[in-house]
Amino acid sequence: KGQGARLDSCIATHKAIMFRTLLAFCVLAAASGYSHGAARTPIARRSAMAKPAVQMAAADDFVPDMNRRVIMNALLVGATAVPGLWLAGGYAYFFLPAGAGGGAGGVTAHDALGNDVTKEGWLATHAKGARQLVEGLKGDATYLIVNDEGKIEDYALNAVCTHLGCVVPWNAAQNKFICPCHGSQYDNTGKVVRGPAPLSLALAHVNTDSGKVVLSTWTEKDFRTGLDPWWK
């Protein structure tokens, strides 16, 4: 019995030693694997990061050939030139005198509704001595005049005051144009008779041969003052 007990004890001790040895081996193996993986991780990361960098460097080093450069430059010039020319053309057109819509380089007068003014229609609704506004040269408010013979006068008056640009109304009771802004006054032909306006109202030629009322720029001397027209 004593020998059996000692044998059992030796076997138990041997098993314990084997278990501890195996456990220690597992721990070392795990530690070695972690250390090896950790050592490799930065290298792998650097390698992965290096690939896009190389690709980006390759993309940055790309230089288009001459044909592509020419095409790209042409597209750039066209994209900027078209809107630039369009704006420049509109700006220049603003300063050109109106020259469409009527004969002899004139424009057809329009009423308040935008309709063409005709000789027959105007005389049917306006009595002798009437001075009424139409849209004239450059879109300015312009007075058509019906004279004492019941005919449309051969000149029209720009209604814009020569002081600060107010539209001057006709005062039939006083037989003159009186500006409501600063009191400038013009006689029934548009000649300035009281300041602060420095100049008479601008004149325009009136032609009704076509049946429509056509206005054109007055370039001759001002018959009211004998001077060259200031509005040319």
Side-chain angles (χ1 to χ4, degrees):
K1 291 181 180 178
Q3 293 179 352
R6 284 196 296 274
L7 180 59
D8 291 339
S9 177
C10 289
I11 292 173
T13 300
H14 180 70
K15 289 181 177 180
I17 292 172
M18 290 293 292
F19 177 75
R20 290 175 182 175
T21 301
L22 181 61
L23 181 61
F25 178 78
C26 291
V27 171
L28 290 174
S32 177
Y34 175 79
S35 176
H36 182 68
R40 291 184 60 185
T41 300
I43 298 175
R45 290 178 179 175
R46 287 196 296 271
S47 178
M49 294 174 61
K51 290 180 180 180
V54 172
Q55 294 175 355
M56 291 176 63
D60 292 338
D61 292 339
F62 172 74
V63 178
D65 58 24
M66 184 58 67
N67 289 335
R68 291 184 179 180
R69 290 182 182 180
V70 171
I71 294 174
M72 292 170 64
N73 289 338
L75 291 175
L76 179 61
V77 172
T80 56
V82 171
L85 291 174
W86 182 79
L87 292 173
Y91 182 78
Y93 181 77
F94 177 80
F95 293 97
L96 294 177
V107 296
T108 301
H110 296 104
D111 61 20
L113 299 178
N115 300 317
D116 291 349
V117 176
T118 63
K119 175 182 178 181
E120 182 179 356
W122 192 261
L123 293 178
T125 56
H126 295 81
K128 296 178 182 179
R131 286 163 173 77
Q132 288 292 118
L133 289 172
V134 295
E135 181 184 357
L137 298 174
K138 297 183 179 180
D140 287 346
T142 302
Y143 280 104
L144 286 185
I145 302 171
V146 179
N147 60 28
D148 294 337
E149 298 177 358
K151 300 178 180 180
I152 296 177
E153 196 63 82
D154 61 1
Y155 68 89
L157 300 174
N158 189 307
V160 178
C161 182
T162 59
H163 179 217
L164 291 179
C166 299
V167 173
V168 182
W170 167 247
N171 189 317
Q174 298 189 43
N175 196 37
K176 63 175 104 175
F177 299 93
I178 302 177
C179 182
C181 298
H182 302 94
S184 297
Q185 297 184 13
Y186 308 82
D187 68 13
N188 58 5
T189 66
K191 180 180 179 181
V192 63
V193 293
R194 176 180 172 180
L199 300 165
S200 300
L201 298 178
L203 295 169
H205 284 291
V206 177
N207 186 293
T208 59
D209 292 343
S210 65
K212 293 183 178 181
V213 177
V214 178
L215 305 176
S216 57
T217 303
W218 187 289
T219 58
E220 299 82 11
K221 287 187 179 295
D222 187 338
F223 67 86
R224 303 163 301 185
T225 63
L227 302 175
D228 290 331
W230 60 263
W231 54 86
K232 286 178 59 178

